Amino acid sequence: MAASVVRIAPSLLAADMGRLKEELATIEEGGADWLHLDVMDGVFVPNITFGAKVIETCRTLTTLPLDVHLMVVEPERHLEVFARAGANVLAIHVEAAPHLHRQLMRIKELGCAAGAVVNPATPVESVREVAAELDLLLVMSVNPGFGGQSFIPSSVDKIRRARAVLDAAGSRASLEVDGGITRETIAACWHAGADTFVAGNAVFSAKDPAAEIAALRALCAERA
Ligand code: DX5
Ligand code: ZN
């Protein structure tokens, strides 16, 4: 079943943090749907980014839903603090959550939408048993850790299979794709069944981020 909404979620990782307020205003006024926030702990992934304090600050600066992508080990230790900081979506990696069902339930209990994330090497089948509980399934189209990487082409077929897993479970979860999303890669992901697109460098490195958001969205709508 094809997706019917298109959500563009610029990733803060690619923003100029010295101009945080202006960057957030630009994307909000420019039509972004969500703000994607990449939390990295230097253990689950080789990079360290930011924690709950930055999310709390973003909460005061934008009304966009905050889509928090936790690239951390033992995510269960941090769910409450991120929920309190203002996260709307909390997504945890299946590779870091052996008790995924329990953690998804905990995220919902905290009042957030519950997301599961799969790395490029992790089969989508790993979420099959919890598909009905998901509010969001995030398919990584790069190995997480850094912005500005190239899209892994086999992700398109994986998105197709992820859409099938969600449909088979009767799930209305959003299907998000993250990593290397550009004008060149977004349409194929949309056609494969993704509806939510993280875009870091594509949006924040663009001369006109608002125009870039519109262009990315149009590439989906155009051929829908
Ligand atoms: C990668 C992060 C992504 C990243 C995307 O580990 O999860 O969200 O910020 O950046 P781009 O769109 O530049 O590939
Ligand atoms: Zn991300």
Side-chain angles (χ1 to χ4, degrees):
M1 194 172 72
S4 56
V5 293
V6 179
R7 276 189 216 97
I8 307 292
S11 167
L12 187 76
L13 198 57
D16 177 353
M17 293 298 254
R19 298 176 50 253
L20 182 60
K21 197 174 174 178
E22 295 91 323
E23 293 275 71
L24 294 185
T26 300
I27 60 154
E28 186 163 355
E29 287 157 23
D33 298 280
W34 290 359
L35 175 64
H36 185 79
L37 294 152
D38 289 305
V39 176
M40 305 186 190
D41 68 352
V43 181
F44 181 69
V45 288
N47 197 7
I48 300 178
T49 55
F50 47 76
K53 179 78 184 160
V54 167
I55 281 134
E56 215 177 285
T57 302
C58 290
R59 184 68 298 160
T60 67
L61 295 174
T62 180
T63 60
L64 290 175
L66 303 182
D67 174 31
V68 177
H69 176 191
L70 290 176
M71 284 160 276
V72 303
V73 295
E74 300 179 3
E76 64 276 10
R77 294 176 51 205
H78 310 286
L79 299 177
E80 195 170 339
V81 69
F82 283 105
R84 257 201 245 131
N88 298 94
V89 180
L90 272 178
I92 59 175
H93 274 260
V94 303
E95 303 85 3
H99 306 293
L100 184 59
H101 182 273
R102 177 185 290 153
Q103 302 318 332
L104 293 170
M105 294 301 117
R106 179 69 184 135
I107 290 170
K108 291 185 189 199
E109 207 175 271
L110 290 166
C112 299
V117 192
V118 286
N119 274 337
T122 303
V124 287
E125 285 68 30
S126 61
V127 299
R128 190 183 295 281
E129 304 304 326
V130 295
E133 313 297 343
L134 294 176
D135 297 309
L136 175 131
L137 174 56
L138 169 49
V139 173
M140 289 306 302
S141 42
V142 297
N143 288 292
F146 304 94
Q149 302 183 78
S150 299
F151 182 86
I152 298 172
S154 59
S155 310
V156 173
D157 193 54
K158 190 171 181 185
I159 291 164
R160 204 168 287 123
R161 284 179 282 112
R163 171 55 66 196
V165 167
L166 293 176
D167 286 353
S171 167
R172 299 177 61 84
S174 306
L175 180 51
E176 186 174 39
V177 55
D178 182 6
I181 292 296
T182 63
R183 293 189 193 201
E184 284 67 48
T185 56
I186 194 167
C189 298
W190 159 260
H191 284 296
D195 50 43
T196 304
F197 305 90
V198 177
N201 283 274
V203 168
F204 283 110
S205 301
K207 272 209 186 90
D208 182 349
E212 195 59 32
I213 291 167
L216 291 171
R217 192 190 305 284
L219 282 164
C220 303
E222 209 173 80
R223 305 191 226 161

